[in-house]
Amino acid sequence: MLLQSRKLESFSTLSRILVAVATIVLAASSRFSASLESEVVKLLILLALCLGISSYFKGLRVVLGGLKMLFLFVLLGLAVFAASWALGLLAPEPLSLIPGALRLVTLFTSLSIAFQLVSPREWRALFKHLGLARQAEILSLAILQLPLVLNYLSEAAVTVRLKYRGRCLHKLAVPLVVLVAYTSRSLYEAHLLYGVSYGNAELTVFKKRDFILYLLLLLAVVAYLAVEPALRLVSQGFA
């Protein structure tokens, strides 16, 4: 999901940043919808936009393959909440589980768009031009740490499951914190010795194919804004 395509070179940096930021803002603002139905429709529109952009650059098969792990965690969460509700334990209403899972998937895909469309080198160059060189260094170190953290999480989870036969999964916190702290120290030492290279990322403002991204974003925004008026008209028609 976070791999980039060479097709991005045909689009300007400005258009890709605007689309990435707009999807994140729309995904966050959908939480303040007037009703649950309108929020679900808005999330479906944003999810279609994100998957459409990702599949255009990398192919639908690659995108669906990247979403497999996310859907697995969503299904596990739904199963736990459903079991808690069936046993009478504290849990949200069953009808609220599906919008919550959809919200999680949409938020993840919208955040991943920011790194699919804009490379870390371009983000660092942009931060540096804005006078945020320190924040650019922190972003670089965080991106370097993320794959290692996920790898350590997988290793710690497998070890704890084998040792405790699937029980006491909370014990994976200790080895995970130790491994992450050890790696963070190594990265910090490398940063002090060698620093962070910003590269020669070219920040472009306009290219001929930008209209494709702008058109997709415009259609999504219009559909997003028309959701609540359309649902209001439908409800009035049935009243």
Side-chain angles (χ1 to χ4, degrees), residues 124 127-139 198:
R124 291 197 302 267
F127 276 48
K128 185 179 180 181
H129 283 295
L130 295 176
L132 302 174
R134 180 63 176 173
Q135 285 72 14
E137 295 179 0
I138 295 175
L139 176 65
Y198 291 94

Side-chain angles (χ1 to χ4, degrees), residues 17-232:
I17 290 177
L18 289 178
V19 171
V21 173
T23 53
I24 295 175
V25 171
L26 292 176
S29 61
S30 64
R31 192 68 180 89
F32 304 98
S33 301
S35 62
L36 183 61
E37 293 79 7
S38 61
E39 181 184 2
V40 170
V41 177
K42 290 179 180 179
L43 291 174
L44 289 175
I45 293 173
L46 293 177
L47 184 61
L49 172 64
C50 294
L51 293 180
I53 292 175
S54 299
S55 60
Y56 173 78
F57 287 110
K58 296 182 295 185
L60 184 60
R61 180 178 298 180
V62 176
V63 175
L64 295 179
L67 290 174
K68 285 182 180 178
M69 184 62 66
L70 179 62
F71 280 122
L72 176 61
F73 283 106
V74 169
L75 291 176
L76 289 176
L78 290 176
V80 171
F81 281 120
S84 301
W85 179 82
L87 295 174
L89 302 176
L90 183 62
E93 291 295 327
L95 294 179
S96 65
L97 297 179
I98 295 178
L102 180 61
R103 192 180 301 119
L104 175 63
V105 174
T106 306
L107 182 60
F108 173 80
T109 52
S110 61
L111 289 174
S112 67
I113 285 293
F115 292 99
Q116 293 180 48
L117 296 182
V118 187
S119 67
R121 181 175 297 177
E122 290 173 325
W123 281 116
R124 291 197 302 267
L126 176 63
F127 276 48
K128 185 179 180 181
H129 283 295
L130 295 176
L132 302 174
R134 180 63 176 173
Q135 285 72 14
E137 295 179 0
I138 295 175
L139 176 65
S140 303
L141 294 176
I143 294 175
L144 286 174
Q145 183 79 340
L146 182 60
L148 294 173
V149 172
L150 296 177
N151 184 40
Y152 290 153
L153 176 61
S154 176
E155 292 180 357
V158 171
T159 302
V160 171
R161 286 178 180 176
L162 292 176
K163 184 175 181 179
Y164 297 100
R165 297 181 181 181
R167 301 186 302 272
C168 304
L169 291 180
H170 62 277
K171 292 184 178 294
L172 63 85
V174 175
L176 179 61
V177 170
V178 172
L179 291 172
V180 171
Y182 178 77
T183 308
S184 301
R185 183 175 180 272
S186 300
L187 286 175
Y188 183 67
E189 290 178 352
H191 171 63
L192 293 178
L193 291 174
Y194 306 107
V196 177
S197 175
Y198 291 94
N200 297 319
E202 181 183 0
L203 301 180
T204 56
V205 177
F206 175 77
K207 288 188 177 181
K208 294 181 179 180
R209 304 193 67 180
D210 287 351
F211 75 93
I212 297 177
L213 289 180
Y214 289 137
L215 180 60
L216 288 175
L217 180 60
L218 178 62
L219 293 176
V221 170
V222 171
Y224 183 94
L225 297 176
V227 167
E228 293 186 1
L231 291 178
R232 195 178 301 114

